[in-house]
Structure formats: C-alpha cells, structure tokens
Amino acid sequence: ILVRFLIYAKKCTKDMHAGFAAASVSAEVLHLTPENYDEMTAGKTVFLKFYAPWCGHCKKMAPDWEKLFNEWDSNEVGLVAKVDCTAEGKPLCDANGVRGFPTLKWGDANDLQDYSGGRSFNDLSKFAKNNLKPICSPANLDLCDDEMKAKIAEYSAMGSEKLDELIAEGEKKISDAESNFQKEVEGLQKKYEQLKQEQEDAITAVKESGMGLMKSVKAAMEKSSGSDEL
C-alpha cells in the first residue's frame, strides 16, 4: 500500500508541474495600443505581430507567438508583443502600413522594418535571438556607424517643426501611392468583370444558336453511317 501511495504521489506531483508549465506557455501576450506603445517599447528592440482575431493564419500562429512571448517576457532589451488591428490597436496598424494579416515587423519601435522570414516557432525564435538586441538609434548612437551618426545629426539639426513637415510629406506620398494603387486595382476589377461577362455572353450565344443540337445531330449521323456500313 505504501508503495502504491508513493507512486500515486509522484504522479500527482508530475501532473502538477506539467500543469504549471502549460499555464506558463499559455500566458497572455502583451497587447500594444496607442496608449501604452511608447511606455512599453521605450529602449526596446521589438518584434510585433499585427493581426486580426478572425484571421485563420493569425490563429494558427498564436501558440508559437505565445511561446516566443514567454521566451522574451521581462527581457531588458527585447520585446515581443501583438497589436489587434480591429480594436484599440488599429491606429498603430494604420501608421505602420499594415494591409494583411498577420504582418510581422521588428526593430526600433519608431522605425519598424518588415519581417519576411519563416513563420515556424524555430524560425521566429532564431530570428529574435539574433536580432532583438540594442541597435543603432538616436538613443544608441554608440552602435551607429559614421554614416548613420551623420544622418541622425542632420535630422536633429532641422528642429521639430521641420521634421514634422518632412514626415507629413512622406506620409502623404505613401497615402497617395496607396490610394492610386487601390483605384487602379478597382479599375482592373471592373475590367475583369466586364471581360468575364462578355466571355459568358459569347458562350451563351453560341450555345443558344443551336451548337448543342448540331453536335447531337452530327453524332446521330455518324452513328447511322456506321450502322449502314455494317
């Protein structure tokens, strides 16, 4: 009886530890919004997932992103988080040109770069370990090469108002390019629908002209001709 009790106790302890581990893995990933973005990303190199709750690919990636978040939770340098583009995080998605889901971006929180690597946990984890470290930025000038230092100094000398002006011009150019793209795509869609309708109308007209009956008559004639030869 004592042996059985010890075996049972060992099993319960093992199950309890497994439960704790599972709870750790399923910890909620940090959500970023315009309200907490600056505070949570300050001094960090970030790896962000921009997503929509209804997106199938986003749901598929969710467990691996949670595991990645746990690997970097409370890290002093790197930050893994997510942004819901259908809720409070939408302004962040718009500001960063997010058009599809999930979109992954990384780097300086104010100068995010597109991530185009693999989407498996191993791919994401390897990338994070190689890249979520201090990088060149106005706050880390010692990590910048001479060219970047000169560029940062040039922008700093412009002053806040001039930078606001240049940023606004750049954002307008991006917005105009996206609007033009959307307009052209809509035009192509209308042209496609027109051509598709013309194709269907032509096919219908030919069929209604008697082609089906012609084929039937021809088949009957060939069958009859074959019978006569016999």
Side-chain angles (χ1 to χ4, degrees):
I1 296 176
L2 178 59
V3 172
R4 289 179 180 177
F5 174 79
L6 291 174
I7 293 174
Y8 175 75
K10 183 177 181 180
K11 182 179 182 299
C12 288
T13 301
K14 182 178 180 180
D15 291 343
M16 181 176 66
H17 287 307
F20 286 147
S24 175
V25 169
S26 61
E28 178 66 18
V29 178
L30 173 66
H31 270 94
L32 294 180
T33 67
E35 285 69 33
N36 68 3
Y37 189 81
D38 290 341
E39 177 186 356
M40 301 307 300
T41 62
K44 303 272 190 175
T45 301
V46 304
F47 197 9
L48 308 181
K49 179 180 78 169
F50 295 85
Y51 76 103
W54 46 259
C55 162
H57 292 298
C58 303
K59 293 177 181 178
K60 183 178 180 181
M61 181 185 287
D64 287 337
W65 200 255
E66 289 179 358
K67 287 172 63 177
L68 187 67
F69 169 76
N70 277 279
E71 280 193 347
W72 289 86
D73 190 18
S74 301
N75 188 275
E76 294 182 359
V77 177
L79 173 71
V80 173
K82 62 183 180 180
V83 181
D84 185 347
C85 294
T86 67
E88 293 178 281
K90 188 177 185 303
L92 295 176
C93 303
D94 294 340
N96 286 284
V98 175
R99 295 293 177 268
F101 309 114
T103 291
L104 305 184
K105 291 179 178 286
W106 74 282
D108 184 323
N110 294 304
D111 185 24
L112 294 175
Q113 306 299 314
D114 291 330
Y115 169 81
S116 57
R119 299 295 179 96
S120 71
F121 173 73
N122 288 337
D123 290 329
L124 297 170
S125 180
K126 181 178 179 180
F127 178 85
K129 289 173 182 175
N130 289 336
N131 293 279
L132 296 193
K133 53 190 176 183
I135 58 176
C136 168
S137 70
N140 291 309
L141 282 176
D142 56 314
L143 299 176
C144 301
D145 57 27
D146 291 341
E147 182 179 355
M148 285 301 297
K149 287 180 180 178
K151 184 62 69 175
I152 291 172
E154 177 186 348
Y155 290 151
S156 297
M158 290 180 179
S160 181
E161 290 186 8
K162 183 62 176 178
L163 288 176
D164 285 341
E165 179 184 335
L166 292 175
I167 290 171
E169 289 178 1
E171 290 178 340
K172 185 178 185 306
K173 288 179 180 179
I174 292 174
S175 178
D176 289 346
E178 291 174 344
S179 296
N180 183 63
F181 171 79
Q182 188 63 33
K183 179 181 178 181
E184 292 298 325
V185 168
E186 290 174 359
L188 290 173
Q189 179 64 27
K190 290 179 181 178
K191 185 63 177 178
Y192 167 81
E193 292 173 357
Q194 176 189 339
L195 293 172
K196 186 66 177 176
Q197 187 61 51
E198 290 175 358
Q199 176 196 36
E200 292 176 355
D201 290 345
I203 293 173
T204 299
V206 171
K207 288 182 177 179
E208 290 179 349
S209 69
M211 173 176 273
L213 183 58
M214 291 179 194
K215 289 182 177 180
S216 180
V217 170
K218 182 174 184 294
M221 291 173 62
E222 291 177 347
K223 183 177 181 180
S224 176
S225 175
S227 300
D228 293 343
E229 290 179 0
L230 291 174

